[in-house]
Amino acid sequence: MADGHPTPKLYWGICIILCVATFIEWAIFHVESWRTNAAIMIPVLAVLSIIKFVLVCGWYMHLKYDHRWLKLVFVASALLATATFTLLKVFI
Amino acid sequence: MGEHAHTMPNNTGVDNRKFAMWTLIGSECFLFGTMIANYLINKNRALSGPTGRDVYSIDLTTVSTFVLLMSSVAMVLALHHCIHKELFKFRLWTGVVAFFGLLFLGFQYYEFAHFVDVGMGLTTNVYASSFYLLTGCHGAHVFVGVLWMTSILVTSFIKGDKWFNSDVVEFAGLYWHFVDVVWIVIFTVVYLFVFL
């Protein structure tokens, strides 16, 4: 790949972050008092999921370095899909 | 980026094949978005029978999540070595992707078999149907991805050490990473949030 693009070292670094995030998700689930506490679980798990999502899409899928049209297609679709299931959940 | 024999001229500045793959991924966002919406709506509507909170093993699902994440790492390494024309490493990591995909499917099969054993089958209640629709469709996507990786691996052996079509590997990688990303969402929304 051209200079400025990810290297295997960066890929492994991102892999470690993904593994740590997954471990944290598993760990907080095992805290009995938190498991059913939506006020803690929802924001923490949402943030961890978003971090994993952005890392995989941005670096593994190379979207960070790609043309803006590709970013537009994916980000618009993902946002619309998220809005769809959020609104459906709220109103039904 | 990568080798390609004949690319059509375009107005966007983007390879048409890559644009098409991202468009496919965009449409898949809607596919899984609607299935996740269906699951969320039906999550608390089971009238009888067990639901996720009664049967899930988060420990096992975390392991399968880890397997899928590792397969994504293997995929980017396969593409990297394909671009740098390192044949052995490219074949190795492509094989690892296919293997981890099969391993993930094995975990899914074991999990589903256990759920059926304890009474949560496909038609037990509306929660179960929604769950199996979503995760079953994801599993089917993983299976297609495994077939794709296997075909790339077999092609590289048949064509010999002259075959380094990194465009093909890149497009397959986009599909595979998207399948992983969908699982990131499913693991959180379906498996972890069910206890709330």
Side-chain angles (χ1 to χ4, degrees):
Chain A
M1 290 186 180
D3 287 338
H5 284 219
T7 61
K9 198 173 171 183
L10 180 60
Y11 290 140
W12 282 113
I14 290 170
C15 171
I16 290 169
I17 296 172
L18 293 173
C19 291
V20 167
T22 304
F23 176 77
I24 293 171
E25 288 174 343
W26 172 85
I28 64 171
F29 173 80
H30 281 78
V31 178
E32 202 69 40
S33 56
W34 290 359
R35 186 185 307 172
T36 53
N37 187 338
I40 293 175
M41 291 292 273
I42 291 178
V44 171
L45 292 177
V47 165
L48 289 171
S49 295
I50 289 168
I51 289 171
K52 289 159 75 174
F53 189 98
V54 168
L55 285 174
V56 173
C57 291
W59 279 266
Y60 284 2
M61 295 172 89
H62 209 251
L63 199 57
K64 181 178 182 297
Y65 306 95
D66 269 334
H67 196 279
R68 64 177 182 275
W69 279 112
L70 301 179
K71 291 186 177 88
L72 180 66
V73 164
F74 178 69
V75 171
S77 304
L79 286 176
L80 278 171
T82 306
T84 301
F85 74 68
T86 304
L87 289 171
L88 280 171
K89 176 62 181 168
V90 168
F91 290 110
I92 295 181
Chain B
M1 174 179 171
E3 300 173 13
H4 42 263
H6 304 287
T7 53
M8 297 294 289
N10 56 72
N11 297 323
T12 61
V14 182
D15 184 326
N16 285 339
R17 300 167 300 166
K18 194 168 181 177
F19 201 100
M21 180 50 79
W22 276 107
T23 306
L24 170 70
I25 289 172
S27 74
E28 295 272 278
C29 285
F30 284 101
L31 174 69
F32 283 102
T34 50
M35 285 192 287
I36 290 171
N38 171 67
Y39 167 82
L40 288 174
I41 289 164
N42 292 317
K43 183 172 158 241
N44 299 315
R45 295 189 175 189
L47 296 176
S48 63
T51 63
R53 346 171 31 117
D54 306 309
V55 303
Y56 289 163
S57 166
I58 297 300
D59 294 343
L60 180 68
T61 314
T62 304
V63 171
S64 62
T65 302
F66 175 77
V67 165
L68 211 54
L69 287 176
M70 291 301 102
S71 74
S72 262
V73 181
M75 187 69 236
V76 291
L77 291 173
L79 177 59
H80 175 83
H81 292 302
C82 182
I83 289 168
H84 287 84
K85 296 184 169 43
E86 293 164 338
L87 186 62
F88 173 73
K89 289 180 183 175
F90 159 60
R91 286 174 175 166
L92 173 69
W93 286 112
T94 303
V96 168
V97 175
F99 173 72
F100 278 168
L102 279 174
L103 189 58
F104 175 83
L105 289 172
F107 277 121
Q108 290 291 90
Y109 174 79
Y110 176 82
E111 205 178 45
F112 289 1
H114 169 68
F115 293 166
V116 170
D117 273 347
V118 296
M120 192 175 97
L122 179 62
T123 56
T124 299
N125 50 47
V126 70
Y127 176 93
S129 298
S130 304
F131 167 80
Y132 285 117
L133 172 67
L134 175 57
T135 53
C137 188
H138 176 266
H141 279 72
V142 173
F143 180 67
V144 167
V146 169
L147 290 180
W148 198 347
M149 294 306 138
T150 306
S151 76
I152 287 174
L153 189 59
V154 168
T155 302
S156 83
F157 276 105
I158 291 172
K159 300 268 185 175
D161 58 4
K162 298 278 189 287
W163 193 86
F164 283 108
N165 195 332
S166 60
D167 285 350
V168 166
V169 179
E170 183 187 0
F171 303 149
L174 289 176
Y175 176 86
W176 189 263
H177 293 309
F178 180 70
V179 164
D180 182 26
V181 157
V182 170
W183 184 254
I184 288 170
V185 176
I186 290 175
F187 178 57
T188 304
V189 170
V190 174
Y191 286 90
L192 297 179
F193 282 179
V194 76
F195 294 91
L196 297 177

